[in-house]
């Protein structure tokens, strides 16, 4: 058994025309987890997923799925992953059942091992088994795509923005199914530009912005980071120890005259931090804020911008 479900090393992608969509991205997805790839629109999420799916060629770096390198062992890598793409694409003249049978054929699943009806039941489309795909609603099409991604029983499933165009009730059904798959041992990766969605479902979250990985942490830690801000202060005299204050989350002395104060932005702002320091009789010579990039991403993820 491989250690990681997905392993990505120094992955970069520059599209024809010069757009750099991924810039030296490295991370691993633990087996059995629900992993969120979070980032604003244009961050590079779909590019990364499409490289894993074999639909986009990487410029450099390595990726392996279930221990199989996508270059060295593309067939096994492909067989180990099921991808639910962001864009819905279907032949409108196939019925859901036919679409699943066709997909099973493409993956070489023998007839005796096919489970089209079981999958349709799982995504609550059994009564639509023989309907034309063009008569399905957006939410039904997306659930059919999830079933399609599972025909070859891959150990890893990736859902790229699965809730785009899916109403709340169906979204819940989709998540129930995803959680069920995960309980059955399937590693789940989902991309989203909604922080709350990732927070609710994922054990671990990676954040990318402008093609760069800027954080990867267990969900709880990351959510705390979203509420924390830090300022680095250069003081007018040496301090023997970090200045303490009940409202600071953390205070560290990083050099003779430099301290780093972490605070919860729901509870105080940078001005109040500076005032607290000055009230201790310390003069401030310079101020810098930290993790501005992460801050920007959280802002754009929480500003409630729809598609
Ligand atoms: P996300 O899925 O996070 O919204 P994408 O991976 O779709 O981001 O896109 C990342 C960046 O790469 C964007 O700036 C996008 O415009 C660009 N891009 C995506 N696909 C192509 C392509 N086929 N050719 C050129 N640029 C592309
Ligand atoms: Mg995308």
């Amino acid at each position: 058994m491989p250690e990681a479900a997905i392993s990505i090393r120094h992955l970069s992608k520059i599209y024809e025309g010069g757009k750099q969509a991924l810039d030296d991205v490295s991370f691993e997805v633990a087996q059995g987890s629900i992993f969120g790839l979070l980032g604003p629109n244009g961050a590079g999420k779909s590019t990364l997923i499409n490289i894993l799916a074999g639909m986009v060629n990487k410029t450099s770096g390595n990726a392996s799925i279930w221990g199989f390198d996508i270059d060295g062992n593309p067939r096994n890598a492909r067989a180990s992953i099921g991808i639910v793409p962001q864009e819905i694409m279907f032949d409108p003249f196939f019925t859901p059942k036919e679409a699943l049978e066709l997909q099973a054929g493409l993956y070489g699943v023998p007839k005796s091992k096919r489970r089209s009806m079981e999958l349709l039941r799982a995504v609550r489309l059994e009564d639509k088994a023989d309907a034309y795909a063009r008569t399905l609603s957006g939410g039904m099409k997306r659930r059919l795509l999830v079933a399609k991604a599972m025909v070859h029983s891959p150990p890893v499933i990736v859902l790229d923005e699965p809730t785009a165009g899916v109403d709340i009730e169906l979204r819940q059904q989709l998540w129930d199914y995803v959680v069920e798959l995960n309980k059955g041992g399937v590693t789940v990766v989902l991309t989203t530009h909604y922080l709350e969605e990732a927070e609710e479902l994922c054990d671990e979250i990676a954040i990318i912005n402008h093609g760069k990985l800027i954080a990867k942490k267990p969900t709880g830690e990351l959510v705390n980071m979203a509420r924390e801000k830090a300022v680095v202060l250069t003081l007018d005299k040496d301090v023997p120890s970090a200045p303490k204050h009940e409202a600071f989350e953390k205070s560290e002395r990083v050099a003779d005259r430099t301290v780093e104060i972490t605070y919860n932005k729901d509870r105080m702002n940078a001005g109040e931090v500076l005032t607290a320091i000055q009230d201790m009789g310390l003069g401030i010579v310079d101020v810098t804020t930290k993790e501005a990039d992460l801050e920007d991403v959280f802002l754009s993820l929480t500003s409630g911008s729809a598609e």
Side-chain angles (χ1 to χ4, degrees):
M1 280 257 266
E3 283 147 34
I6 295 175
S7 170
I8 288 165
R9 290 275 165 267
H10 303 297
L11 194 65
S12 291
K13 172 66 186 178
I14 301 170
Y15 282 107
E16 248 170 77
K19 173 76 203 178
Q20 177 138 28
L22 292 175
D23 185 0
D24 196 21
V25 172
S26 299
F27 66 87
E28 291 189 345
V29 175
Q31 279 190 34
S33 60
I34 302 186
F35 186 93
L37 184 61
L38 190 61
N41 280 324
K45 303 181 297 294
S46 292
T47 299
L48 193 149
I49 300 310
N50 291 338
I51 290 171
L52 295 176
M55 296 188 301
V56 165
N57 289 323
K58 61 188 162 61
T59 304
S60 58
N62 298 97
S64 60
I65 303 161
W66 216 247
F68 300 113
D69 188 272
I70 60 169
D71 294 328
N73 214 330
R75 283 177 65 93
N76 284 331
R78 207 82 69 86
S80 302
I81 196 165
I83 307 257
V84 184
Q86 182 172 356
E87 304 298 331
I88 296 180
M89 281 175 302
F90 277 116
D91 189 322
F93 297 106
F94 285 116
T95 69
K97 190 159 173 243
E98 287 166 348
L100 294 189
E101 289 291 315
L102 200 69
Q103 182 82 355
L106 286 175
Y107 275 92
V109 180
K111 279 232 156 65
S112 62
K113 291 243 170 83
R114 292 189 191 170
R115 46 194 191 107
S116 301
M117 282 315 290
E118 184 191 322
L119 285 169
L120 288 174
R121 236 186 330 273
V123 297
R124 296 178 178 81
L125 282 177
E126 54 181 327
D127 56 335
K128 295 283 176 188
D130 301 314
Y132 284 128
R134 68 176 137 81
T135 66
L136 304 180
S137 70
M140 290 174 182
K141 285 180 180 156
R142 198 162 290 277
R143 281 180 287 150
L144 179 55
L145 283 176
V146 175
K148 246 179 112 175
M150 289 305 299
V151 293
H152 56 296
S153 309
V156 183
I157 185 169
V158 179
L159 301 102
D160 194 3
E161 306 262 357
T163 50
V166 177
D167 67 41
I168 288 181
E169 190 187 336
L170 295 176
R171 186 180 295 203
Q172 196 54 52
Q173 286 180 9
L174 190 63
W175 292 145
D176 290 348
Y177 181 54
V178 164
V179 169
E180 209 177 291
L181 281 176
N182 182 251
K183 284 192 178 133
V186 177
T187 303
V188 178
V189 177
L190 62 95
T191 80
T192 178
H193 59 269
Y194 297 116
L195 181 60
E196 304 86 54
E197 192 161 85
E199 195 180 332
E200 191 186 321
L201 283 157
C202 300
D203 308 314
E204 196 167 29
I205 295 177
I207 294 194
I208 58 171
N209 194 30
H210 302 303
K212 285 197 170 76
L213 183 79
I214 56 171
K216 182 203 179 240
K217 297 207 174 289
T219 303
E221 269 179 51
L222 196 101
V223 168
N224 278 339
M225 277 175 79
R227 298 201 186 97
E228 281 180 356
K229 278 189 86 162
V231 282
V232 178
L233 307 177
T234 308
L235 306 170
D236 63 351
K237 52 173 131 358
D238 292 0
V239 284
S241 62
K244 296 279 182 248
H245 191 285
E246 55 177 17
F248 298 164
E249 294 287 311
K250 208 163 71 187
S251 175
E252 270 178 293
R253 177 179 172 277
V254 289
D256 289 342
R257 296 188 173 197
T258 311
V259 295
E260 181 177 332
I261 314 284
T262 305
Y263 60 98
N264 184 323
K265 67 183 177 203
D266 298 338
R267 288 172 46 202
M268 69 194 305
N269 61 40
E272 288 163 342
V273 174
L274 302 192
T275 305
I277 294 288
Q278 282 163 338
D279 287 350
M280 296 174 201
L282 299 165
I284 296 162
V285 178
D286 195 17
V287 180
T288 47
T289 53
K290 281 192 65 179
E291 310 225 57
D293 201 20
L294 193 56
E295 180 69 19
D296 288 348
V297 176
F298 280 123
L299 278 178
S300 63
L301 292 172
T302 48
S303 63
S305 65
E307 299 273 292

